[in-house]
Amino acid sequence: MKVTPTRLKEVLLVQPDVFRDDRGFFLEFYHEARFREAGIAVRFVQDNHSRSERGTLRGLHGQLRKAQAKLVRVIVGEVFDVAVDVRPGSPTFGQWVGETLSAQTPKFLYIPPGFLHGFCVLSPEAELEYKCSEFYDRGDEVGVRWNDPDLAIDWPVRDPLLSTKDRNLPAFKDAAPLFEVYRSK
């Protein structure tokens, strides 16, 4: 397994060892001891599975008091996966990083607490699995509009399929006061 910091050094790209033969392949998605050795000492408590069609954009989402670390992988198709630093006082506050994740070229994205997460689907369909370090709590959710001009995320879709919730998320500058909960973490 190879772990590489992205442009936002706390967001990590994880490339697993893939063992291929004429039958297919094998890889470990998660091995606690190996992740700990690589500096990712997080206890994951919930696994999620998401399926979406081409052009779907989900995000940008997070939780406030129960902030989640996430380990994201694509098991079908291809997505553009994004993390946004929302930790006040961080030198990269309000900056984003995006990585293309694909089932064909397995790599995972580790997103620590204090970052919003979103993705858009590039293939006809995509399925993601992601581990979370905190349980989902609807009452603790926070989000920011996907196309906020202050974030200027270079999404590879222009007119995405959005949920009503995502279509109505606030602007980054309006949500920013909520992120003060991350300052002490």
Side-chain angles (χ1 to χ4, degrees):
M1 176 175 78
K2 179 180 176 186
V3 177
T4 309
T6 64
R7 189 173 48 77
L8 303 181
K9 65 180 181 176
E10 296 89 347
V11 178
L12 305 173
L13 194 58
V14 179
Q15 294 177 281
D17 294 324
V18 181
F19 304 94
R20 298 179 189 275
D21 63 22
D22 57 350
R23 300 168 298 162
F25 73 90
F26 171 85
L27 64 80
E28 289 179 343
F29 174 38
Y30 179 73
H31 187 291
E32 183 180 25
R34 289 190 179 106
F35 271 73
R36 182 168 278 117
E37 288 171 14
I40 303 172
V42 173
R43 179 179 165 253
F44 292 109
V45 298
Q46 180 175 324
D47 287 358
N48 297 327
H49 185 132
S50 171
R51 182 190 176 282
S52 304
E53 63 183 69
R54 182 190 308 274
T56 296
L57 193 148
R58 297 182 185 267
L60 299 159
H61 304 144
Q63 293 191 167
L64 291 171
R65 288 162 294 286
K66 298 176 184 175
Q68 297 174 317
K70 293 180 179 177
L71 181 63
V72 182
R73 76 173 178 156
V74 173
I75 59 171
V76 173
E78 184 176 70
V79 306
F80 182 67
D81 205 75
V82 171
V84 178
D85 186 349
V86 293
R87 301 167 302 158
S90 165
T92 57
F93 178 74
Q95 294 181 30
W96 63 275
V97 64
E99 292 285 341
T100 299
L101 302 179
S102 166
Q104 295 300 89
T105 311
K107 57 184 175 181
F108 320 136
L109 198 62
Y110 171 74
I111 304 166
F115 288 75
L116 297 180
H117 175 243
F119 66 89
C120 68
V121 178
L122 305 174
S123 53
E125 67 181 23
E127 294 187 34
L128 281 78
E129 290 184 340
Y130 55 100
K131 300 179 110 27
C132 299
S133 64
E134 289 286 344
F135 295 110
Y136 170 73
D137 182 343
R138 182 184 308 262
D140 199 37
E141 275 187 299
V142 66
V144 170
R145 193 174 306 129
W146 71 279
N147 60 350
D148 187 283
D150 290 334
L151 298 177
I153 297 171
D154 189 16
W155 293 102
V157 295
R158 298 294 163 237
D159 189 24
L161 300 171
L162 299 168
S163 69
T164 301
K165 177 180 87 171
D166 288 351
R167 195 176 297 113
N168 294 312
L169 288 171
F172 181 71
K173 66 182 175 191
D174 295 333
L178 298 173
F179 303 138
E180 284 298 322
V181 300
Y182 297 133
R183 190 178 294 275
S184 63
K185 295 182 180 194

